[in-house]
Structure formats: C-alpha cells, structure tokens
Amino acid sequence: MPRFAVIVFPGTNCDFETVEAIRKAGGKAERVWYKGSIKDYDGVVLPGGFSYADYLRAGAIAARQRIMEEVREFAEEGKPVLGICNGFQVLTESGILPGALRPNKIPRFICRWVYLKVVDTNTAFTRLYEPGEVIKMPIAHAEGNYYIDDPSKVRIVFQYSDEKGNITEDTNPNGSVLNIAGISNEKGNVLGMMPHPERASDRFLGSEDGLRVFRSMVEWVKR
Amino acid sequence: MKWRVRVLVRLKEGLNDPEGRVIGNALRNLGYKVEDLRVPKCFEFTLESERPEKEVEEMCKRLLANPLIHTWEYTIEPVK
Amino acid sequence: MKWRVRVLVRLKEGLNDPEGRVIGNALRNLGYKVEDLRVPKCFEFTLESERPEKEVEEMCKRLLANPLIHTWEYTIEPVK
Amino acid sequence: MFPHEEKYIRERLGREPNELEWAMLEVMWSEHASYKSSRPWLKLLPTKNEHVILGPGEDAGIIKFDDETWIVAGIESHNHPSAVEPYGGAATGVGGIVRDVLCMGARPIALLDPIRFGPLENDRNRYLFEYVVKGIADYGNRIGVPTVGGETEFDESLDNYTLVNVACIGIMRPEHLVHSYVTEAGLKLVLVGNRTGRDGIHGVTFASEELSENAEEEDRSAVQIPDPFTEKLLIEATLEAVYTGKVKALKDLGGGGLTCAASEMAGKRGFGAIIHADRVPLREPGMNVVEVMISESQERMLFAVRPEDVEILGKIFEKYGLEWAVVGETIEEPRFIVYWKGEKVADLPIDLLTDVPTIKWPLKEYRAEEEVETPPISLEEAFEKVWRSPNIIAKKWIWEQYDHEVQGRTVVKPGFDAAVLKINDEYGLAFVADGNPRHSCLNPYHGAMGAVAEVVRNLVSVGARPMALIDNLNFASPERPEVYWTFAETVRGLADAAKAFNLAYISGNVSFYNEVVDKPIKPTPVVAGLGKVKLEVIPKGPRRGDLIAIVGE
Ligand SMILES: Nc1ncnc2c1ncn2[C@@H]1O[C@H](COP(=O)(O)OP(=O)(O)O)[C@@H](O)[C@H]1O
C-alpha cells in the first residue's frame, strides 16, 4: 500500500483529518514531525493549519525548515507532493510552486463552502475528476489571495466558480488572480490548493468531492 | 497642507511578544546572530492637516495603538 | 560588532494592500484626511556581525521579504 | 478581602502574614478563585445522572459518550479583561478554557462563544464587538479548535462593557484521565510553557471588582498578549505526555497563577507543596517573588510527576520547543512553603489557601414584572423592527471568521439550532449554548429555567438526546441584596429545570462584579448543553413545499 508522510510543523492543525482522508482513499499515511525525514515514503502532504502561527507571512518560516529540502527533492523526482491551504503557502514560499499567497481582499479570515471548477485533470491529484467538473469544498484562510505577475506561467488546476462553473468576480472569495484556487507544477506531481479536500471527504460533513484528490494521488503512486 | 507620516507602534517593554520571538528564532535558525527582535506595527500615509502633530497623536490614541499595551512614535514631513 | 537594525518591507508599487485600505478607511471615518495608507512590515533587532549590510540584505531575501511582491530598506547603526 | 476575613486569617496563623503570604491569600480568597459567595448556592445544582463520570470540582467535567469515549466540557468567562482589551481578553479567555479541558487528558475539539455587548450605535461597543470576535477567531483558528456556535446579543445595559463566555469540549479515552490533584508526596512539580512575566498581576482580584470609569487606562498588567502558537504546542505536548501514563496530576495556570495551581493540586487530598520560586523561568528581569507567585502569564501548565519520569516528559516538551523547569515538589505535610534563592519566604497551612470560608450576603427580593399595554404598532412596523434588530439578524459575519470546520468533525455547522460534531462513524455530539438575560431580569427563576429549556429544545431539534449541562453565571456585585437574590433564584431555576429533564451540571463558572461605573448588568446565566445524536437521523433542513406546523402550547 502506498505510504504518505503528512508533515507536521509547529502550528499545523489539519494533520489528523488529512491522515484519515488518505486512509479512506486507500493509502497509508503517517504524521511526521518536521524534524524527521520523509525519505521512506511514496508521497508527501503538507496539510493545513497555522505553521508558526502565520507570523511573518503564512508559510514563510515553515518553508525555510530543513525538511523542505527533502520535499524539494521529492518534487524533482516526480513523487506526489500535495500542499493544502497552509501547505500551499509553504510550497509557494519555498519556491517549489510559483507565485505568492497574499492577504484576502477583505483582510479577514474566512471559512465557507465554495464551488470549484476542475480545469486540469492531468495531474496526479485530479485524474479522477471529469474535465470542467464543478465540485464543493470549504475554504478557511486569511491569506489565500493568489498572486503571480504572469499567470500564463502557471498550470491552473482549480478555479473558484459558481454552482454551474461560471468564473466571475462574485465567485472569487479572496481576490486571487483569475480566481485561482489551486495550481500545479509543470510535471503535474506537485499540487497546491487553498480549499480543504480533507474536509470534504465524508458524507456527513457536507461533501465527498474532496476524497478524489486523495484517491487520485494513491492510484497515481500505484500505477 | 499635506504631510508624509510614518507611525511606529511598539508593544510596551516586558509584554509577551510571541511574534517577535518566533521570527527571531527563525533568523537564528538560518545562522544569524539576532537578538531582541521586535515587530512594531508601521503605518505610512499622506495626511492633509493644519495641525499634523496633534492629529497624528490623536489617531494613535484613538485607533492605531492601544495605550494600555503600546507606545508609539512618528515622523512627519511636508510633502514636496 | 553589534548593530541596531531596522528593516522595512513594503509591498511593491501597484499591488494593493487590503489591510492598509481598511485602516485608511477607518481613519477617514474618524474624520482625518488620510490618503494612501500602507502597512509595511517592520522589524527591529540587534545583530552581531562583521558584515551587517551583507547579512541584513540576505535576511531580507531569504526570509523577511518575498522578492516577488516586496521591496525593502533598512538602517543599521552601531550599538553604543 | 474583607476585614472579618483578615481577622480570621491572623487568628488561624497566630501571627501576621508577610507580604508574599498576604498576596497569595489575597488571590486565593478572591471571589474569582474561591467562589465564596456562590458555593453555598451551587450545591443546589444536580450533578449526577447516568452519563456523568466526573461532576464539578475539577478543571472540567466529564460524561461517558460510549465505552471508549468520554467527553469533557467546561465553560469560562473573561468579561473584565475583554472589556478593557477586547482582543487579548477574549483570546486569552479561549486559551484558558481550552487548557482546562486539556488538563483532564482530553483533546479539545470544539468551542462555543456566547458574547454580549452594548448597542452598536456606540463606537466603543462596536470596537469591543469587532475585537472580541477577532480575538476569538485568531486564537481559536491558530490552535486548531473549531468555534462551532455561540450566541451574540446586544443590550443597552451592557453599554461600554462586554460579557465574553467561552465553552469548550474535548474528547478522550477513559484510560487517559488525569486528575487535577495529587495523591502522593515526593512528586516533582514541573512548570511548562510560556515564561512568567508580570502579566495579569492582581488579575483575579481585578476580576472581582467593578470597573471604574477609566478602566481602559488603568493597570496594563491586567492585559495579556495572547500566544496561540505556544498554546497549540502545549496541547500537543501535553497530550503526548499524558499518553505516556506518567503524569500524576495536571493543572493549567489561570487566575491566581502558580499559587493557585500548586496549592490546589497539592492540597485537595491533604498533601502540601514546596515551591522554589526562583526556578521559574522569567520573561522580565528584576521580578520579585510576589510577582512570580501570583503572575497570571498565560499558556502555562503544571505537571506532577515521579522524579524518575521527569526526564522522559522533559524530552517531550523539548521536542515541541517548550521551556520547562522543575519548580517544586509535593510533600506529606499539608503546608504551602515557598523558597526564594534558598530562603524560606512563605509557610502557610495549605487549607488556608484552598478552603476559603463562604459568605452569605443579604438577599432582597425584587419584582420587575408589571402589567404593560401592548404598544399600538402595526404588524409591518413590528416586523421591520424585529427583523432588522442586530439581535435577530444572521451572525454569519461572526462565524465565517471562525474556522468552524477544522478537525473535520463539524456535521451541523453554525447557523442551525445546535452544532453537531462527528464522534465516530455512527454518532455525533450536539453542542449549544443559550441565555436570556431579559427574561432573567424580569424573573430570574423563570429566566434560568427558560435557558435550560431552550438548550434542551435546541438539542432535540437536531435530533439529539440531551446528556448534560454546563453553566456560566454572569452577575453584578453579590454585595447588592437584589443581585444576590437574583443569583439565588437563578441557581434554583437552573436546578429545578435540570431535574425536570433528568440532566446534571458537570461544570460551570461564576463571574460576579460585572458592573461599569456602578451600573449592574442584568442577571445573565448562560447554559450550554451536550447531547448524543445518531448521524443518520439529523434533520436535513426544510425543502420547498414542506408543511409547517406548531406543536405545543
Ligand atoms: N458569537 C457566535 N459565534 C458563533 N456562532 C454564533 C455566534 N452567535 C450566533 N451564532 C450562531 O448563529 C446561529 C443563530 O444564533 P442565534 O441568533 O443565537 O439563534 P437562535 O435565535 O436560534 O438561538 C446559531 O447557529 C449560532 O450558533
């Protein structure tokens, strides 16, 4: 069974439910304290939360920890690397993914359910979605406003949309360029996303749409 | 008249400053010999006023700082 | 040698500053004629170093600022 | 402290206490720490039913959810500090109740925040409101405990003031229970977490005084800077320590600081403690022993462990980057002894700190109910008025700032009658808080009963069977006979209503002296309830075309 490391920094707080979601998706996952090593794993997930309490900039301090060197190697070797929310912030701060996540256009923390349009189904994490499919997941962040000087440089995976998949200013909860909610690297083995798929992986919690992110990832390793 | 204003708002001495502590540690981890790091709040703006000192002092008291836990200082320069 | 350092990290021109906008509005609501309010990040610390300029510049690039969206400036003074 | 109490202390000791002893006695004999005015009445509350594992008396109460799962619950007010500095006051209020739940050995899984303010037309009230919400959001979000519900009310009687109550629940396995008291001598007392500064010195005494006009500019020591980063690390480190089975007793440091935590931990079962106050890690230079012993610096915990286990636990704390120090030990003799740089500076019988005599204030009944004419107002006008009232409009602006989904359990989310948290694949825990000070002001007995009944209705309306209650009693000065009477009536009402539903109170909190410039607040009992619900049966909410019916009188 594929084994995934869920990295825990001081202040990470979505580690347990992320482990649980991977387990449901058919993988094996373990929480790994940031001082440890991820060498023995098939993939790595940087979960949500407030690493270092978001002091300085969200993800900035975690991105400079030693374990991120191993994550970078993982990414280069083509192993799956998934950053959710704070994990996405860590990935951009470390330069593994391009761009920056800035404070929301209304500078407050915001926790709400949103619709996402899946615009790229060729990544390790979106293979089980239909192209253009609209899915439902919660966001919960204060710094999710994706910025990049040249959007043509990124591979967009998820965009904030309405129920029907229309992408408008009204459906943009945080001010992100082009309503970007998730991007991947060129090879498609590194995904960063602000919404929380692990919170949409249980029928009692409002949606199971997120589970396919983890299923895709597990199957991709098995392939 | 127009003025260019910069306000710095600092936590009073002795108060816990978790943010400064965490950022200081991060710099030390990167190998720098940093001590007593603090993160004052900084505001920069243009002000139109006839009595800029008085108004800026007021703004600090009323909104930008909390007199109970903060001290503040500012610089005010005429806009060319 | 020991130095007293102050770093200011600003958003690049043209990038909007949501927090600055909110605080600016709040001050205008209180009746002040405030414009272009921005909230740079400020860091103050003591540094032991033989090459303080080089190290501070490095700190900004490596941690305190994000070169994609920030510019920075600093003052460095010897500690008496 | 009152003159008759000082006299009693001198007589018991047969001497004049020194400055440090007075300072420690002062915090322990404060209303906030001793419950001296409320204890006689709180005895009326039912505290047992088939679900209760642990009733009031420790940091939080416990019920049995199923054979493998216990639920811990507690509630706390942080009214005075929030009125002075809303952001820090509300945030540290969250921190305090989370540590209370944590120190039973449970993982905190949800918060509720019943909060009350004066009318929003007043700038100061608006400021208090915005920053209380921000304080709760920033702290709760950063420690990863979802705020899943609450109450928000605006009332003229709270002009320039605020009532901030926070309830917390935690989840644990029975074998991880840790008590807040020791049952042996020779244990090391280990202080973990933030360094000790001059924060909140005289905080508990402050919490037992009315606010004067210039409270805002008084005493900065009453204000605390919240440190959710350390709190989150404390949660993880404490749980890892508890799971080793080597923690003999555990308490958080709140009001009364080290004095309160150590004396209660040692004294409850008749042991004593020696504290070496100079071993406490300090944040500020030049602190004296009095300041160290009564500081209320947040994000600190006190562990009692056998000497041979100190290193093992120390390693866990270090893994999480937390500072720790052995600051004392438990002893056979029931005394509380403090050393400072090798010199004995305080030596008191421990029960003099922990068993404070109760006070019964005079009671005076009052009647606020009177016949009134219904004002001549059209239905439209009445509807508009009610519909637009800040008390009625949706509270989405608040709960969207709270990460109410973290930990992945929030089945019924804010905006419904009660929140439901997924406990296992089949069952959930319903959690809700209600209070109705206007009703209580008219008739405190009925108001209290009404609050309990509302909690029960809200639990039932998400399909849950009510299991237990916790209560937070926010009142003005008990020295006012009318206030004390409303307090007594309230407790009577809470007791009778709970008995009617066969429910028990497993934990609670009393906050007296809620007054601004001599103006008492309305009697404000807040009741929170826990219930068990099968996830499958939770009503899904109405659909177009459903019929509406009213049941009951
Ligand atoms: N301060 C708050 N924090 C979180 N949720 C809140 C707060 N105030 C109100 N709510 C939520 O908003 C919803 C409506 O609250 P309220 O108006 O008190 O309901 P009701 O009138 O039905 O008792 C509830 O789900 C409640 O939990």
Side-chain angles (χ1 to χ4, degrees), chain D residues 403-426:
Chain D
D403 189 352
H404 51 265
E405 305 263 2
V406 63
Q407 294 194 22
R409 299 176 199 278
T410 318
V411 174
V412 177
K413 308 179 198 285
F416 294 92
D417 292 316
V420 176
L421 298 146
K422 187 175 169 207
I423 300 297
N424 56 41
D425 287 338
E426 213 180 331

Side-chain angles (χ1 to χ4, degrees), chain D residues 325-344:
Chain D
V326 176
V327 298
E329 62 206 33
T330 61
I331 54 175
E332 220 46 80
E333 224 189 333
R335 301 195 71 80
F336 193 72
I337 301 168
V338 181
Y339 283 89
W340 182 250
K341 299 177 180 153
E343 195 188 328
K344 192 194 274 190

Side-chain angles (χ1 to χ4, degrees), chain A:
Chain A
M1 199 189 283
R3 286 176 70 221
F4 296 87
V6 174
I7 298 183
V8 183
F9 291 105
T12 294
N13 66 29
C14 303
D15 39 331
F16 288 100
E17 55 268 46
T18 302
V19 166
E20 175 64 17
I22 297 171
R23 191 192 61 74
K24 265 195 197 158
K28 196 166 163 3
E30 277 157 33
R31 297 166 62 243
V32 176
W33 186 240
Y34 77 112
K35 296 234 164 123
S37 166
I38 55 173
K39 291 236 156 69
D40 296 338
Y41 295 88
D42 303 307
V44 59
V45 180
L46 297 159
F50 284 83
S51 60
Y52 298 90
D54 270 7
Y55 293 142
L56 188 58
R57 293 180 305 279
I61 298 179
R64 274 85 183 163
Q65 303 302 316
R66 211 214 64 244
I67 198 166
M68 288 308 296
E69 285 315 311
E70 292 188 18
V71 174
R72 192 186 306 280
E73 283 164 26
F74 252 57
E76 281 159 12
E77 285 165 20
K79 291 186 182 171
V81 175
L82 171 61
I84 302 166
C85 195
N86 191 235
F88 185 13
Q89 293 160 338
V90 174
L91 287 176
T92 55
E93 275 287 343
S94 62
I96 294 174
L97 285 176
L101 289 149
R102 303 193 41 224
N104 296 347
K105 63 182 173 189
I106 297 172
R108 275 203 295 270
F109 187 91
I110 165 176
C111 178
R112 73 162 68 130
W113 283 74
V114 296
Y115 291 100
L116 302 176
K117 183 165 172 171
V118 188
V119 289
D120 186 337
T121 55
N122 287 319
T123 75
F125 312 89
T126 49
R127 292 150 30 101
L128 299 179
Y129 293 101
E130 297 296 321
E133 188 179 344
V134 177
I135 59 177
K136 206 174 118 187
M137 267 183 221
I139 53 167
H141 58 246
E143 299 180 33
N145 181 350
Y146 185 74
Y147 171 77
I148 180 110
D149 41 6
D150 178 4
S152 69
K153 283 199 296 210
V154 292
R155 189 162 162 188
I156 302 173
V157 179
F158 298 111
Q159 282 171 297
Y160 300 107
S161 73
D162 66 11
E163 216 174 332
K164 302 210 169 66
N166 300 309
I167 293 160
T168 66
E169 193 46 45
D170 288 345
T171 63
N172 188 340
N174 53 25
S176 292
V177 168
L178 299 177
N179 284 34
I180 287 175
I183 60 167
S184 97
N185 63 344
E186 237 163 82
K187 283 191 278 184
N189 68 314
V190 180
L191 174 73
M193 62 190 296
M194 287 316 293
H196 285 272
E198 81 282 8
R199 298 183 185 184
S201 292
D202 183 296
R203 71 189 171 105
F204 290 117
L205 295 180
S207 161
E208 287 183 288
D209 289 348
L211 198 53
R212 274 180 284 165
V213 168
F214 302 104
R215 283 222 183 97
S216 303
M217 175 176 89
V218 170
E219 286 190 11
W220 195 74
V221 171
K222 279 192 189 158
R223 122 213 91 125

Side-chain angles (χ1 to χ4, degrees), chain D residues 113 115 149-152 395 398-399 402 414-417 434 454:
Chain D
D113 68 331
I115 48 181
E151 262 194 302
T152 315
K395 307 301 187 299
I398 301 172
W399 49 256
Y402 299 154
F416 294 92
D417 292 316
D434 286 296
E454 190 175 352

Side-chain angles (χ1 to χ4, degrees), chain D residues 76-79 114 116 163-165 472-476 487 509-514 521-526:
Chain D
E76 183 85 273
S77 62
H78 230 207
N79 304 334
R116 296 183 154 75
L163 295 178
V164 176
N165 293 180
N472 201 342
L473 307 177
N474 306 275
F475 283 76
F487 180 78
N509 174 257
V510 180
S511 165
F512 276 128
Y513 299 96
N514 290 289
I521 64 156
K522 287 179 179 152
T524 308
V526 172

Side-chain angles (χ1 to χ4, degrees), chain D residues 497-513:
Chain D
K499 285 177 194 155
F501 294 113
N502 185 30
L503 289 172
Y505 294 89
I506 58 169
S507 188
N509 174 257
V510 180
S511 165
F512 276 128
Y513 299 96

